Amino acid sequence: AAMLAEQMGIADKLHRHPADLSHGERQRVAICRALLPGPKLILADEATGNLDPKIKLHILELLFESVKSHDATLLAVTHDQELLPNFDRVVNFNDFLQGEAI
């Protein structure tokens, strides 16, 4: 847990209460908690939504590293078009509305 917190950039905040953390720090705590057991499926709803651009890409890299090391699947929902090229497959919700999703 300490190593994961270090990678997420929140190791110095482990003894703080959630109310004393920023939204981005809380989001990184949530990601740590999700990755800690080494899940085979990671469901991420706007996982980088409250993060600044520099941290956002770093956290995305950590998510992909966890996926690779645990032979897992990452299912992510995002409005951030900048992140889409990082994924193997992208499904646009509008395609469902138009009956085009595969």
PDB file of all heavy atoms in Angstrom, residues 51-81:
ATOM      1  N   LEU A  51      -7.951  15.397 -11.781  1.00  0.00           N
ATOM      2  CA  LEU A  51      -6.492  15.483 -11.712  1.00  0.00           C
ATOM      3  C   LEU A  51      -5.953  16.488 -12.717  1.00  0.00           C
ATOM      4  O   LEU A  51      -6.490  16.632 -13.811  1.00  0.00           O
ATOM      5  CB  LEU A  51      -5.878  14.105 -11.985  1.00  0.00           C
ATOM      6  CG  LEU A  51      -6.361  12.973 -11.077  1.00  0.00           C
ATOM      7  CD1 LEU A  51      -5.735  11.657 -11.508  1.00  0.00           C
ATOM      8  CD2 LEU A  51      -6.038  13.263  -9.622  1.00  0.00           C
ATOM      9  N   ASP A  52      -4.854  17.144 -12.345  1.00  0.00           N
ATOM     10  CA  ASP A  52      -4.237  18.070 -13.284  1.00  0.00           C
ATOM     11  C   ASP A  52      -3.593  17.277 -14.416  1.00  0.00           C
ATOM     12  O   ASP A  52      -3.331  16.085 -14.276  1.00  0.00           O
ATOM     13  CB  ASP A  52      -3.260  19.014 -12.574  1.00  0.00           C
ATOM     14  CG  ASP A  52      -2.041  18.313 -12.019  1.00  0.00           C
ATOM     15  OD1 ASP A  52      -1.360  17.596 -12.770  1.00  0.00           O
ATOM     16  OD2 ASP A  52      -1.749  18.492 -10.827  1.00  0.00           O
ATOM     17  N   PRO A  53      -3.329  17.896 -15.562  1.00  0.00           N
ATOM     18  CA  PRO A  53      -2.852  17.169 -16.743  1.00  0.00           C
ATOM     19  C   PRO A  53      -1.588  16.334 -16.521  1.00  0.00           C
ATOM     20  O   PRO A  53      -1.485  15.221 -17.030  1.00  0.00           O
ATOM     21  CB  PRO A  53      -2.592  18.281 -17.762  1.00  0.00           C
ATOM     22  CG  PRO A  53      -3.519  19.371 -17.359  1.00  0.00           C
ATOM     23  CD  PRO A  53      -3.579  19.304 -15.854  1.00  0.00           C
ATOM     24  N   LYS A  54      -0.647  16.840 -15.768  1.00  0.00           N
ATOM     25  CA  LYS A  54       0.598  16.109 -15.527  1.00  0.00           C
ATOM     26  C   LYS A  54       0.333  14.830 -14.723  1.00  0.00           C
ATOM     27  O   LYS A  54       0.800  13.749 -15.071  1.00  0.00           O
ATOM     28  CB  LYS A  54       1.595  17.003 -14.786  1.00  0.00           C
ATOM     29  CG  LYS A  54       2.927  16.348 -14.522  1.00  0.00           C
ATOM     30  CD  LYS A  54       3.843  17.318 -13.780  1.00  0.00           C
ATOM     31  CE  LYS A  54       5.110  16.622 -13.353  1.00  0.00           C
ATOM     32  NZ  LYS A  54       5.974  17.482 -12.544  1.00  0.00           N
ATOM     33  N   ILE A  55      -0.420  14.954 -13.650  1.00  0.00           N
ATOM     34  CA  ILE A  55      -0.744  13.812 -12.800  1.00  0.00           C
ATOM     35  C   ILE A  55      -1.652  12.834 -13.536  1.00  0.00           C
ATOM     36  O   ILE A  55      -1.532  11.621 -13.397  1.00  0.00           O
ATOM     37  CB  ILE A  55      -1.409  14.285 -11.480  1.00  0.00           C
ATOM     38  CG1 ILE A  55      -0.430  15.108 -10.657  1.00  0.00           C
ATOM     39  CG2 ILE A  55      -1.939  13.121 -10.677  1.00  0.00           C
ATOM     40  CD1 ILE A  55       0.741  14.338 -10.110  1.00  0.00           C
ATOM     41  N   LYS A  56      -2.573  13.365 -14.342  1.00  0.00           N
ATOM     42  CA  LYS A  56      -3.532  12.542 -15.070  1.00  0.00           C
ATOM     43  C   LYS A  56      -2.829  11.472 -15.907  1.00  0.00           C
ATOM     44  O   LYS A  56      -3.175  10.293 -15.833  1.00  0.00           O
ATOM     45  CB  LYS A  56      -4.394  13.440 -15.956  1.00  0.00           C
ATOM     46  CG  LYS A  56      -5.299  12.707 -16.905  1.00  0.00           C
ATOM     47  CD  LYS A  56      -6.159  13.654 -17.710  1.00  0.00           C
ATOM     48  CE  LYS A  56      -5.378  14.474 -18.688  1.00  0.00           C
ATOM     49  NZ  LYS A  56      -6.215  15.289 -19.577  1.00  0.00           N
ATOM     50  N   LEU A  57      -1.845  11.862 -16.678  1.00  0.00           N
ATOM     51  CA  LEU A  57      -1.145  10.906 -17.532  1.00  0.00           C
ATOM     52  C   LEU A  57      -0.326   9.911 -16.714  1.00  0.00           C
ATOM     53  O   LEU A  57      -0.243   8.735 -17.056  1.00  0.00           O
ATOM     54  CB  LEU A  57      -0.272  11.646 -18.544  1.00  0.00           C
ATOM     55  CG  LEU A  57      -1.050  12.483 -19.555  1.00  0.00           C
ATOM     56  CD1 LEU A  57      -0.100  13.256 -20.460  1.00  0.00           C
ATOM     57  CD2 LEU A  57      -2.002  11.631 -20.361  1.00  0.00           C
ATOM     58  N   HIS A  58       0.242  10.368 -15.614  1.00  0.00           N
ATOM     59  CA  HIS A  58       1.000   9.473 -14.726  1.00  0.00           C
ATOM     60  C   HIS A  58       0.079   8.414 -14.119  1.00  0.00           C
ATOM     61  O   HIS A  58       0.408   7.233 -14.095  1.00  0.00           O
ATOM     62  CB  HIS A  58       1.691  10.276 -13.629  1.00  0.00           C
ATOM     63  CG  HIS A  58       2.388   9.440 -12.619  1.00  0.00           C
ATOM     64  ND1 HIS A  58       3.528   8.710 -12.914  1.00  0.00           N
ATOM     65  CD2 HIS A  58       2.096   9.178 -11.323  1.00  0.00           C
ATOM     66  CE1 HIS A  58       3.894   8.046 -11.831  1.00  0.00           C
ATOM     67  NE2 HIS A  58       3.043   8.308 -10.849  1.00  0.00           N
ATOM     68  N   ILE A  59      -1.089   8.816 -13.646  1.00  0.00           N
ATOM     69  CA  ILE A  59      -2.039   7.886 -13.044  1.00  0.00           C
ATOM     70  C   ILE A  59      -2.546   6.907 -14.088  1.00  0.00           C
ATOM     71  O   ILE A  59      -2.695   5.710 -13.821  1.00  0.00           O
ATOM     72  CB  ILE A  59      -3.211   8.652 -12.380  1.00  0.00           C
ATOM     73  CG1 ILE A  59      -2.706   9.563 -11.268  1.00  0.00           C
ATOM     74  CG2 ILE A  59      -4.278   7.684 -11.891  1.00  0.00           C
ATOM     75  CD1 ILE A  59      -1.882   8.881 -10.187  1.00  0.00           C
ATOM     76  N   LEU A  60      -2.781   7.376 -15.293  1.00  0.00           N
ATOM     77  CA  LEU A  60      -3.213   6.489 -16.376  1.00  0.00           C
ATOM     78  C   LEU A  60      -2.141   5.435 -16.654  1.00  0.00           C
ATOM     79  O   LEU A  60      -2.458   4.253 -16.839  1.00  0.00           O
ATOM     80  CB  LEU A  60      -3.519   7.311 -17.629  1.00  0.00           C
ATOM     81  CG  LEU A  60      -4.224   6.568 -18.748  1.00  0.00           C
ATOM     82  CD1 LEU A  60      -5.597   6.085 -18.300  1.00  0.00           C
ATOM     83  CD2 LEU A  60      -4.359   7.452 -19.969  1.00  0.00           C
ATOM     84  N   GLU A  61      -0.877   5.848 -16.652  1.00  0.00           N
ATOM     85  CA  GLU A  61       0.225   4.888 -16.825  1.00  0.00           C
ATOM     86  C   GLU A  61       0.208   3.840 -15.721  1.00  0.00           C
ATOM     87  O   GLU A  61       0.408   2.643 -15.981  1.00  0.00           O
ATOM     88  CB  GLU A  61       1.572   5.622 -16.825  1.00  0.00           C
ATOM     89  CG  GLU A  61       1.862   6.409 -18.065  1.00  0.00           C
ATOM     90  CD  GLU A  61       3.166   7.192 -17.949  1.00  0.00           C
ATOM     91  OE1 GLU A  61       3.988   6.917 -17.048  1.00  0.00           O
ATOM     92  OE2 GLU A  61       3.358   8.110 -18.764  1.00  0.00           O
ATOM     93  N   LEU A  62      -0.021   4.262 -14.481  1.00  0.00           N
ATOM     94  CA  LEU A  62      -0.071   3.316 -13.363  1.00  0.00           C
ATOM     95  C   LEU A  62      -1.233   2.348 -13.512  1.00  0.00           C
ATOM     96  O   LEU A  62      -1.094   1.152 -13.205  1.00  0.00           O
ATOM     97  CB  LEU A  62      -0.166   4.061 -12.025  1.00  0.00           C
ATOM     98  CG  LEU A  62       1.071   4.845 -11.616  1.00  0.00           C
ATOM     99  CD1 LEU A  62       0.790   5.647 -10.354  1.00  0.00           C
ATOM    100  CD2 LEU A  62       2.256   3.926 -11.404  1.00  0.00           C
ATOM    101  N   LEU A  63      -2.369   2.827 -13.984  1.00  0.00           N
ATOM    102  CA  LEU A  63      -3.506   1.942 -14.227  1.00  0.00           C
ATOM    103  C   LEU A  63      -3.145   0.883 -15.275  1.00  0.00           C
ATOM    104  O   LEU A  63      -3.416  -0.304 -15.088  1.00  0.00           O
ATOM    105  CB  LEU A  63      -4.731   2.739 -14.694  1.00  0.00           C
ATOM    106  CG  LEU A  63      -5.519   3.465 -13.629  1.00  0.00           C
ATOM    107  CD1 LEU A  63      -6.504   4.444 -14.263  1.00  0.00           C
ATOM    108  CD2 LEU A  63      -6.251   2.482 -12.735  1.00  0.00           C
ATOM    109  N   PHE A  64      -2.523   1.315 -16.359  1.00  0.00           N
ATOM    110  CA  PHE A  64      -2.138   0.372 -17.405  1.00  0.00           C
ATOM    111  C   PHE A  64      -1.057  -0.601 -16.930  1.00  0.00           C
ATOM    112  O   PHE A  64      -1.057  -1.772 -17.315  1.00  0.00           O
ATOM    113  CB  PHE A  64      -1.681   1.108 -18.672  1.00  0.00           C
ATOM    114  CG  PHE A  64      -2.824   1.669 -19.469  1.00  0.00           C
ATOM    115  CD1 PHE A  64      -2.885   3.020 -19.756  1.00  0.00           C
ATOM    116  CD2 PHE A  64      -3.849   0.862 -19.933  1.00  0.00           C
ATOM    117  CE1 PHE A  64      -3.931   3.550 -20.493  1.00  0.00           C
ATOM    118  CE2 PHE A  64      -4.900   1.373 -20.672  1.00  0.00           C
ATOM    119  CZ  PHE A  64      -4.936   2.719 -20.953  1.00  0.00           C
ATOM    120  N   GLU A  65      -0.132  -0.141 -16.093  1.00  0.00           N
ATOM    121  CA  GLU A  65       0.874  -1.043 -15.519  1.00  0.00           C
ATOM    122  C   GLU A  65       0.214  -2.112 -14.655  1.00  0.00           C
ATOM    123  O   GLU A  65       0.592  -3.281 -14.713  1.00  0.00           O
ATOM    124  CB  GLU A  65       1.886  -0.258 -14.681  1.00  0.00           C
ATOM    125  CG  GLU A  65       2.877   0.532 -15.480  1.00  0.00           C
ATOM    126  CD  GLU A  65       3.784   1.397 -14.605  1.00  0.00           C
ATOM    127  OE1 GLU A  65       3.890   1.137 -13.388  1.00  0.00           O
ATOM    128  OE2 GLU A  65       4.379   2.333 -15.152  1.00  0.00           O
ATOM    129  N   SER A  66      -0.775  -1.717 -13.871  1.00  0.00           N
ATOM    130  CA  SER A  66      -1.489  -2.673 -13.024  1.00  0.00           C
ATOM    131  C   SER A  66      -2.237  -3.685 -13.880  1.00  0.00           C
ATOM    132  O   SER A  66      -2.236  -4.884 -13.581  1.00  0.00           O
ATOM    133  CB  SER A  66      -2.457  -1.936 -12.107  1.00  0.00           C
ATOM    134  OG  SER A  66      -3.129  -2.852 -11.276  1.00  0.00           O
ATOM    135  N   VAL A  67      -2.853  -3.219 -14.951  1.00  0.00           N
ATOM    136  CA  VAL A  67      -3.557  -4.105 -15.870  1.00  0.00           C
ATOM    137  C   VAL A  67      -2.592  -5.139 -16.445  1.00  0.00           C
ATOM    138  O   VAL A  67      -2.875  -6.344 -16.458  1.00  0.00           O
ATOM    139  CB  VAL A  67      -4.224  -3.291 -17.009  1.00  0.00           C
ATOM    140  CG1 VAL A  67      -4.630  -4.174 -18.171  1.00  0.00           C
ATOM    141  CG2 VAL A  67      -5.422  -2.528 -16.469  1.00  0.00           C
ATOM    142  N   LYS A  68      -1.446  -4.670 -16.873  1.00  0.00           N
ATOM    143  CA  LYS A  68      -0.459  -5.578 -17.475  1.00  0.00           C
ATOM    144  C   LYS A  68       0.090  -6.567 -16.455  1.00  0.00           C
ATOM    145  O   LYS A  68       0.176  -7.765 -16.716  1.00  0.00           O
ATOM    146  CB  LYS A  68       0.683  -4.760 -18.089  1.00  0.00           C
ATOM    147  CG  LYS A  68       1.662  -5.596 -18.865  1.00  0.00           C
ATOM    148  CD  LYS A  68       2.691  -4.715 -19.546  1.00  0.00           C
ATOM    149  CE  LYS A  68       3.666  -5.574 -20.333  1.00  0.00           C
ATOM    150  NZ  LYS A  68       4.644  -4.761 -21.042  1.00  0.00           N
ATOM    151  N   SER A  69       0.452  -6.096 -15.279  1.00  0.00           N
ATOM    152  CA  SER A  69       1.076  -6.981 -14.283  1.00  0.00           C
ATOM    153  C   SER A  69       0.103  -7.990 -13.687  1.00  0.00           C
ATOM    154  O   SER A  69       0.517  -9.038 -13.204  1.00  0.00           O
ATOM    155  CB  SER A  69       1.740  -6.166 -13.172  1.00  0.00           C
ATOM    156  OG  SER A  69       0.776  -5.472 -12.417  1.00  0.00           O
ATOM    157  N   HIS A  70      -1.197  -7.704 -13.716  1.00  0.00           N
ATOM    158  CA  HIS A  70      -2.184  -8.629 -13.152  1.00  0.00           C
ATOM    159  C   HIS A  70      -3.012  -9.321 -14.237  1.00  0.00           C
ATOM    160  O   HIS A  70      -4.002  -9.973 -13.932  1.00  0.00           O
ATOM    161  CB  HIS A  70      -3.111  -7.891 -12.177  1.00  0.00           C
ATOM    162  CG  HIS A  70      -2.405  -7.412 -10.967  1.00  0.00           C
ATOM    163  ND1 HIS A  70      -2.011  -6.102 -10.811  1.00  0.00           N
ATOM    164  CD2 HIS A  70      -1.987  -8.074  -9.862  1.00  0.00           C
ATOM    165  CE1 HIS A  70      -1.386  -5.982  -9.649  1.00  0.00           C
ATOM    166  NE2 HIS A  70      -1.360  -7.151  -9.064  1.00  0.00           N
ATOM    167  N   ASP A  71      -2.592  -9.140 -15.505  1.00  0.00           N
ATOM    168  CA  ASP A  71      -3.332  -9.717 -16.626  1.00  0.00           C
ATOM    169  C   ASP A  71      -4.816  -9.384 -16.483  1.00  0.00           C
ATOM    170  O   ASP A  71      -5.686 -10.253 -16.491  1.00  0.00           O
ATOM    171  CB  ASP A  71      -3.105 -11.228 -16.713  1.00  0.00           C
ATOM    172  CG  ASP A  71      -3.601 -11.812 -18.028  1.00  0.00           C
ATOM    173  OD1 ASP A  71      -3.594 -11.078 -19.042  1.00  0.00           O
ATOM    174  OD2 ASP A  71      -4.017 -12.985 -18.040  1.00  0.00           O
ATOM    175  N   ALA A  72      -5.083  -8.104 -16.304  1.00  0.00           N
ATOM    176  CA  ALA A  72      -6.430  -7.621 -16.003  1.00  0.00           C
ATOM    177  C   ALA A  72      -7.014  -6.858 -17.188  1.00  0.00           C
ATOM    178  O   ALA A  72      -6.354  -6.645 -18.203  1.00  0.00           O
ATOM    179  CB  ALA A  72      -6.390  -6.722 -14.769  1.00  0.00           C
ATOM    180  N   THR A  73      -8.239  -6.458 -17.006  1.00  0.00           N
ATOM    181  CA  THR A  73      -8.956  -5.651 -17.991  1.00  0.00           C
ATOM    182  C   THR A  73      -9.344  -4.329 -17.339  1.00  0.00           C
ATOM    183  O   THR A  73      -9.780  -4.307 -16.199  1.00  0.00           O
ATOM    184  CB  THR A  73     -10.236  -6.381 -18.458  1.00  0.00           C
ATOM    185  OG1 THR A  73      -9.858  -7.610 -19.078  1.00  0.00           O
ATOM    186  CG2 THR A  73     -11.031  -5.543 -19.438  1.00  0.00           C
ATOM    187  N   LEU A  74      -9.162  -3.251 -18.080  1.00  0.00           N
ATOM    188  CA  LEU A  74      -9.563  -1.924 -17.621  1.00  0.00           C
ATOM    189  C   LEU A  74     -10.719  -1.452 -18.477  1.00  0.00           C
ATOM    190  O   LEU A  74     -10.602  -1.357 -19.699  1.00  0.00           O
ATOM    191  CB  LEU A  74      -8.395  -0.934 -17.736  1.00  0.00           C
ATOM    192  CG  LEU A  74      -8.707   0.539 -17.488  1.00  0.00           C
ATOM    193  CD1 LEU A  74      -9.196   0.763 -16.066  1.00  0.00           C
ATOM    194  CD2 LEU A  74      -7.476   1.394 -17.773  1.00  0.00           C
ATOM    195  N   LEU A  75     -11.843  -1.203 -17.842  1.00  0.00           N
ATOM    196  CA  LEU A  75     -13.000  -0.623 -18.509  1.00  0.00           C
ATOM    197  C   LEU A  75     -13.152   0.781 -17.951  1.00  0.00           C
ATOM    198  O   LEU A  75     -13.399   0.951 -16.752  1.00  0.00           O
ATOM    199  CB  LEU A  75     -14.274  -1.435 -18.233  1.00  0.00           C
ATOM    200  CG  LEU A  75     -15.494  -0.870 -18.929  1.00  0.00           C
ATOM    201  CD1 LEU A  75     -15.740  -1.635 -20.217  1.00  0.00           C
ATOM    202  CD2 LEU A  75     -16.687  -0.955 -18.025  1.00  0.00           C
ATOM    203  N   ALA A  76     -12.958   1.761 -18.806  1.00  0.00           N
ATOM    204  CA  ALA A  76     -12.956   3.147 -18.353  1.00  0.00           C
ATOM    205  C   ALA A  76     -14.041   3.953 -19.054  1.00  0.00           C
ATOM    206  O   ALA A  76     -14.291   3.759 -20.246  1.00  0.00           O
ATOM    207  CB  ALA A  76     -11.594   3.781 -18.619  1.00  0.00           C
ATOM    208  N   VAL A  77     -14.654   4.839 -18.296  1.00  0.00           N
ATOM    209  CA  VAL A  77     -15.616   5.789 -18.832  1.00  0.00           C
ATOM    210  C   VAL A  77     -14.982   7.168 -18.665  1.00  0.00           C
ATOM    211  O   VAL A  77     -14.513   7.511 -17.583  1.00  0.00           O
ATOM    212  CB  VAL A  77     -16.954   5.726 -18.057  1.00  0.00           C
ATOM    213  CG1 VAL A  77     -17.917   6.788 -18.569  1.00  0.00           C
ATOM    214  CG2 VAL A  77     -17.556   4.340 -18.155  1.00  0.00           C
ATOM    215  N   THR A  78     -14.961   7.937 -19.745  1.00  0.00           N
ATOM    216  CA  THR A  78     -14.361   9.258 -19.666  1.00  0.00           C
ATOM    217  C   THR A  78     -14.972  10.197 -20.695  1.00  0.00           C
ATOM    218  O   THR A  78     -15.461   9.758 -21.749  1.00  0.00           O
ATOM    219  CB  THR A  78     -12.835   9.198 -19.872  1.00  0.00           C
ATOM    220  OG1 THR A  78     -12.288  10.495 -19.646  1.00  0.00           O
ATOM    221  CG2 THR A  78     -12.452   8.715 -21.258  1.00  0.00           C
ATOM    222  N   HIS A  79     -14.954  11.471 -20.370  1.00  0.00           N
ATOM    223  CA  HIS A  79     -15.314  12.508 -21.324  1.00  0.00           C
ATOM    224  C   HIS A  79     -14.055  13.129 -21.928  1.00  0.00           C
ATOM    225  O   HIS A  79     -14.132  13.959 -22.814  1.00  0.00           O
ATOM    226  CB  HIS A  79     -16.126  13.621 -20.634  1.00  0.00           C
ATOM    227  CG  HIS A  79     -17.485  13.189 -20.246  1.00  0.00           C
ATOM    228  ND1 HIS A  79     -17.785  12.668 -19.016  1.00  0.00           N
ATOM    229  CD2 HIS A  79     -18.643  13.186 -20.947  1.00  0.00           C
ATOM    230  CE1 HIS A  79     -19.062  12.374 -18.966  1.00  0.00           C
ATOM    231  NE2 HIS A  79     -19.612  12.683 -20.117  1.00  0.00           N
ATOM    232  N   ASP A  80     -12.902  12.716 -21.435  1.00  0.00           N
ATOM    233  CA  ASP A  80     -11.620  13.292 -21.826  1.00  0.00           C
ATOM    234  C   ASP A  80     -11.128  12.652 -23.128  1.00  0.00           C
ATOM    235  O   ASP A  80     -10.540  11.563 -23.119  1.00  0.00           O
ATOM    236  CB  ASP A  80     -10.607  13.083 -20.697  1.00  0.00           C
ATOM    237  CG  ASP A  80      -9.322  13.846 -20.910  1.00  0.00           C
ATOM    238  OD1 ASP A  80      -9.043  14.276 -22.057  1.00  0.00           O
ATOM    239  OD2 ASP A  80      -8.569  14.007 -19.930  1.00  0.00           O
ATOM    240  N   GLN A  81     -11.372  13.311 -24.229  1.00  0.00           N
ATOM    241  CA  GLN A  81     -10.995  12.794 -25.549  1.00  0.00           C
ATOM    242  C   GLN A  81      -9.485  12.582 -25.680  1.00  0.00           C
ATOM    243  O   GLN A  81      -9.043  11.752 -26.460  1.00  0.00           O
ATOM    244  CB  GLN A  81     -11.476  13.754 -26.645  1.00  0.00           C
ATOM    245  CG  GLN A  81     -12.982  13.944 -26.670  1.00  0.00           C
ATOM    246  CD  GLN A  81     -13.717  12.711 -27.153  1.00  0.00           C
ATOM    247  OE1 GLN A  81     -13.368  12.127 -28.168  1.00  0.00           O
ATOM    248  NE2 GLN A  81     -14.732  12.291 -26.419  1.00  0.00           N
TER     249      GLN A  81
END
